[in-house]
Amino acid sequence: MDGMLVIISGPSGSGKGTVVKRLDPTLGYAVSISVTTRKPRVGEVNKRDYFFITEDEFVQMRSENALLEHFAYVGNYYGTPRFYVEEQINKGKIVVLEIEVTGALQVKEKFPEAVLVFLMPPTLTELQRRLVNRATEDAVTIEARLKRALEEIPLISQYDYLVINDDISVAVENVNAIVAAERLRPHRNKKVVEDFTDSQVKMDYIKLTL
Ligand code: 5GP
């Protein structure tokens, strides 16, 4: 099976992290861990949730072209380490990136076959309620994230799929279904198609059946 890139975006508070954690493990997902200059939240673990790095380290990674994409989101830098993503795709894995829209569209330019999924809560009021209830950010940051959400939402039209996260189990099921269907597209199974269309194989088959 060919490797594949799945990008999950959506406003802060849309539930991307929860969806990604619950994806079907039998599909063998490889989840990319981003670098960020944001400070860890309570409960976040370095190298599991993010690589928490300094601004100098970020600048160095960027200048060494070690980031597949990067973006300054609400006062902090975020980026996807290039090596892991390329390595896992080459191994035929389904690589999942949980990143915001600008970075997602940068990746889509480099990997046009990437599948872009946008996750939205059912309403904007619900989005605000979730961000406030999550209580991981102060009021100023929540407001900045909500403002950024309003800039991100119009870019939904550039995505391949929109999943509404009202019931988390349904949202997870939908993302698994998207990935399962995308994996069956002929252009993601070049070797299989090649084998079936190989002229020598066809000749042998005809000889066998005559
Ligand atoms: P948070 O601070 O809530 O963990 O993440 C803030 C936003 O940055 C979220 O929309 C998240 O998806 C996005 N993000 C996380 N990692 C990356 C990354 O490597 N690149 C980009 N462009 N966005 C990221």
Side-chain angles (χ1 to χ4, degrees):
M1 198 67 79
D2 296 353
M4 173 175 154
L5 202 46
V6 179
I7 304 181
I8 317 259
S9 300
S12 181
S14 58
K16 291 166 293 188
T18 316
V19 167
V20 169
K21 278 192 196 91
R22 293 217 205 159
L23 290 177
D24 180 1
T26 62
L27 289 176
Y29 289 105
V31 180
S32 162
I33 302 172
S34 297
V35 297
T36 183
T37 59
R38 168 168 77 60
K39 295 283 162 283
R41 293 177 185 138
V42 175
E44 281 185 330
V45 175
N46 190 30
K47 301 183 188 173
R48 184 194 70 188
D49 299 297
Y50 277 108
F51 294 101
F52 293 100
I53 60 172
T54 63
E55 231 172 277
D56 284 349
E57 287 168 330
F58 180 88
V59 170
Q60 185 169 350
M61 283 187 86
R62 195 177 52 190
S63 69
E64 287 169 350
N65 199 24
L67 298 174
L68 185 60
E69 60 72 37
H70 55 84
F71 189 64
Y73 175 92
V74 188
N76 291 297
Y77 293 110
Y78 296 79
T80 304
R82 174 191 301 284
F83 180 78
Y84 178 79
V85 172
E86 292 181 348
E87 177 196 59
Q88 296 297 312
I89 288 181
N90 290 336
K91 281 188 184 166
K93 293 275 186 166
I94 304 169
V95 180
V96 179
L97 307 184
E98 186 221 307
I99 62 176
E100 56 69 53
V101 290
T102 313
L105 296 174
Q106 285 176 43
V107 176
K108 183 82 178 174
E109 268 188 25
K110 289 178 194 160
F111 292 88
E113 288 171 6
V115 180
L116 266 58
V117 180
F118 199 95
L119 195 67
M120 264 301 283
T123 61
L124 288 176
T125 316
E126 174 61 12
L127 177 67
Q128 182 177 20
R129 194 191 65 77
R130 287 184 195 175
L131 262 185
V132 172
N133 282 0
R134 192 168 81 175
T136 49
E137 274 86 23
D138 57 38
V140 174
T141 312
I142 290 178
E143 198 187 319
R145 282 178 175 239
L146 284 170
K147 266 198 193 141
R148 179 63 195 150
L150 297 182
E151 291 166 0
E152 289 181 318
I153 291 167
L155 295 169
I156 291 178
S157 57
Q158 300 197 40
Y159 275 66
D160 300 306
Y161 296 95
L162 168 64
V163 172
I164 303 294
N165 181 13
D166 192 358
D167 175 330
I168 185 76
S169 310
V170 176
V172 170
E173 233 172 70
N174 283 335
V175 176
N176 281 327
I178 289 166
V179 174
E182 283 286 339
R183 280 195 103 188
L184 299 178
R185 297 183 66 154
H187 72 86
R188 300 193 197 282
N189 293 276
K190 293 196 187 81
K191 179 75 178 64
V192 179
V193 174
E194 247 170 58
D195 286 352
F196 278 124
T197 51
D198 181 277
S199 48
Q200 188 57 50
V201 170
K202 284 200 260 186
M203 289 302 292
D204 291 347
Y205 174 73
I206 289 163
K207 272 187 222 146
L208 264 174
T209 49
L210 284 179

